[in-house]
Amino acid sequence: MRMALDLAQAAADAGEVPVGAVIVDETTGTVVATGANAPISGHDPTAHAEIQAIRAAAAATGNYRLTGLTLYVTLEPCAMCAGAISHARIGRVVWGADDPKGGAVIHGPRLFDQPTLHSRPVIEGGVLADASAESLRAFFRARRTGTRDA
């Protein structure tokens, strides 16, 4: 999760909402792929950190199914990312800060609770939640005030 926080900071430094993601093979301890938010710079509304990491992991493994891997992300995934996580068959999702407005795992549509999903990961929220939430608060505070304290 600390690596995901570093990626979130890099996203913030690039003017993107600070969200970072890391996909790990827990059996070997290997980082398979990473991602950071890039919708603004990439002119791509789907370029969320999770999607970036999933795309990179699929390319790295040569398989669109990422069964058994763990996704660490600094913010509870949105509906789009939760759907991609399910389609990729990621085995476990760990996130930092909850997202009551845009989250779709324990908030909103609670996507992984839907009976029509083909794959449901094990979920764990709240890992380094304070650091993840503070990163987001600092980013948006700086945007509101025109300062850069993030």
Side-chain angles (χ1 to χ4, degrees):
M1 186 61 80
R2 295 224 182 266
M3 183 182 289
L5 283 165
D6 290 343
L7 291 160
Q9 184 58 54
D13 292 344
E16 302 279 356
V17 174
V19 179
V22 178
I23 295 179
V24 175
D25 181 338
E26 298 287 356
T27 60
T28 64
T30 304
V31 172
V32 177
T34 63
N37 260 6
I40 297 167
S41 62
H43 311 290
D44 179 358
T46 69
H48 289 194
E50 299 95 310
I51 301 294
Q52 301 285 76
I54 288 169
R55 288 176 178 156
T61 62
N63 195 335
Y64 74 100
R65 290 192 173 176
L66 306 174
T67 308
L69 300 182
T70 299
L71 169 70
Y72 292 88
V73 62
T74 57
L75 183 65
E76 176 186 351
C78 70
M80 175 184 68
C81 293
I85 289 163
S86 176
H87 281 281
R89 314 272 199 289
I90 290 173
R92 182 171 171 238
V93 177
V94 179
W95 70 88
D98 290 346
D99 187 356
K101 288 184 181 179
V105 178
I106 61 169
H107 294 94
R110 300 178 64 97
L111 198 71
F112 298 137
D113 291 343
Q114 300 307 311
T116 56
L117 284 185
H118 296 290
S119 176
R120 288 173 190 80
V122 173
I123 59 170
E124 179 182 354
V127 175
L128 295 179
D130 291 341
S132 296
E134 181 52 35
S135 172
L136 289 156
R137 280 192 297 271
F139 176 80
F140 287 112
R141 183 172 47 246
R143 288 188 65 141
R144 280 192 308 278
T145 63
T147 62
R148 187 173 166 104
D149 66 322

